[in-house]
Amino acid sequence: MFRTCASFPQRRDTQSMELEAGYNRNDVYDPNFALPLLVALMASEEPVTSMQWVDLCRTNVISLAVSSLSSKRPTMRQLGYAALVTAYTRLPDVDFQERNQLIYTLDLLRNLIPQPDSTPSHTIPRLPTYTTLLFSHALRDIFSPATPLYPLISRFLLQRPQFDPKDVPLLYTLLYSSSGEWRRERGWMLRFLADGMRSTEDWKVLKRRHTWDLLASLFQSSIEDRMLRLSILESYSTMNKLKRRHPGIGETV
């Protein structure tokens, strides 16, 4: 299911049966199927045991609900928010090893969203894709701590009382890593940049951190690293596709 998080259909409408072009695939889930199931499960009076919670989180359906907060459809964001709220309210009733870290991560995310009663028409504001994608990775890694980036992502979130949605998380840490896993970490960040480039708002987040200048410099200084250069070109290709759909994307920030 995490593949769906990384390529969430942001124009998917909760009222439509038709998927976006390119999302009629066998390797992704339809959020209109998965998210209502999560809401129904959490809203039911049936108890959810600790082991069932762990199994549920390992399906990445919680990460899917987080990804929906970057949807361009208000109804989809509302559905994902409802799924997260109902799940969050059930957490005090169970006890499992990862619960406290799960609650802490969800609290960081919750602080980014105004309370519905203080938002016009109770609309849930859209979060940048880089924000929801990072939280989706974080939630998955809590229940898969063997994931190579788990220590870095966890440390990044635990060091911050508040998350900055206008920032590119872990950008400098991973692009200029000096650890023994620098190649893996740099590759992860380049994939993250490509996966998160989904809208003009996401482009503005990258622009604020001069990300494209950093990548250009990295490209020029890595003449012998063919894989790195290909990954950088993939990120540029993603940006160019977005710019063709929105010709004025690079003109204002």
Side-chain angles (χ1 to χ4, degrees):
M1 189 176 291
F2 195 80
R3 192 184 301 271
T4 311
C5 300
S7 56
F8 191 91
Q10 294 189 355
R11 295 186 183 276
R12 182 75 167 103
D13 195 329
T14 58
Q15 307 300 321
S16 173
M17 296 297 294
E18 296 183 3
L19 285 170
E20 291 180 41
Y23 281 94
N24 189 16
R25 297 157 40 185
N26 294 327
D27 59 343
V28 297
Y29 287 85
D30 183 358
N32 278 354
F33 170 75
L35 294 180
L37 282 180
L38 177 60
V39 173
L41 174 63
M42 293 292 110
S44 71
E45 297 182 358
E46 291 292 326
V48 181
T49 67
S50 297
M51 284 306 302
Q52 287 173 330
W53 256 104
V54 172
D55 290 340
L56 178 70
C57 291
R58 285 176 176 168
T59 67
N60 295 314
V61 69
I62 304 295
S63 292
L64 184 66
V66 171
S67 297
S68 72
L69 299 179
S70 289
S71 173
K72 297 176 182 178
R73 305 300 185 196
T75 54
M76 181 62 75
R77 298 198 300 271
Q78 193 74 39
L79 176 60
Y81 183 79
L84 290 170
V85 169
T86 53
Y88 186 89
T89 57
R90 297 288 294 267
L91 282 173
D93 300 331
V94 291
D95 184 23
F96 51 93
Q97 183 177 351
E98 302 88 351
R99 189 191 69 164
N100 288 342
Q101 189 174 358
L102 175 60
I103 291 176
Y104 176 83
T105 304
L106 290 176
D107 280 340
L108 282 178
L109 178 65
R110 184 178 62 169
N111 291 338
L112 300 177
I113 303 173
Q115 294 299 312
D117 58 359
S118 65
T119 308
S121 302
H122 291 201
T123 299
I124 304 301
R126 181 183 183 273
L127 295 178
T129 308
Y130 289 112
T131 294
T132 57
L133 187 58
L134 191 280
F135 275 97
S136 295
H137 276 285
L139 292 171
R140 179 189 64 168
D141 292 354
I142 289 173
F143 296 90
S144 301
T147 306
L149 269 293
Y150 168 71
L152 289 173
I153 294 176
S154 295
R155 189 181 308 120
F156 177 83
L157 293 178
L158 290 170
Q159 288 175 342
R160 285 158 175 77
Q162 291 184 328
F163 186 92
D164 183 3
K166 296 180 180 179
D167 193 12
V168 184
L170 291 166
L171 178 64
Y172 291 99
T173 301
L174 298 186
L175 274 188
Y176 297 101
S177 172
S178 59
S179 75
E181 296 292 329
W182 65 269
R183 191 179 297 274
R184 183 200 301 271
E185 293 168 5
R186 184 179 287 178
W188 186 94
M189 174 51 64
L190 291 172
R191 287 192 299 273
F192 179 79
L193 292 175
D195 288 341
M197 174 57 70
R198 304 291 300 280
S199 69
T200 54
E201 290 79 10
D202 302 319
W203 188 91
K204 290 176 182 178
V205 171
L206 295 189
K207 180 69 173 178
R208 179 173 178 261
R209 293 298 299 273
H210 306 285
T211 306
W212 302 116
D213 295 333
L214 293 175
L215 294 182
S217 175
L218 198 59
F219 184 88
Q220 292 177 348
S221 63
S222 306
I223 298 176
E224 298 181 359
D225 195 332
R226 182 172 178 272
M227 292 305 298
L228 173 62
R229 288 188 143 211
L230 287 175
S231 297
I232 293 174
L233 289 175
E234 180 183 352
S235 296
Y236 272 112
S237 175
T238 303
M239 186 196 75
N240 287 332
K241 290 178 183 177
L242 181 66
K243 192 169 183 178
R244 283 197 295 270
R245 294 198 299 268
H246 306 279
I249 189 173
E251 298 174 3
T252 59
V253 177

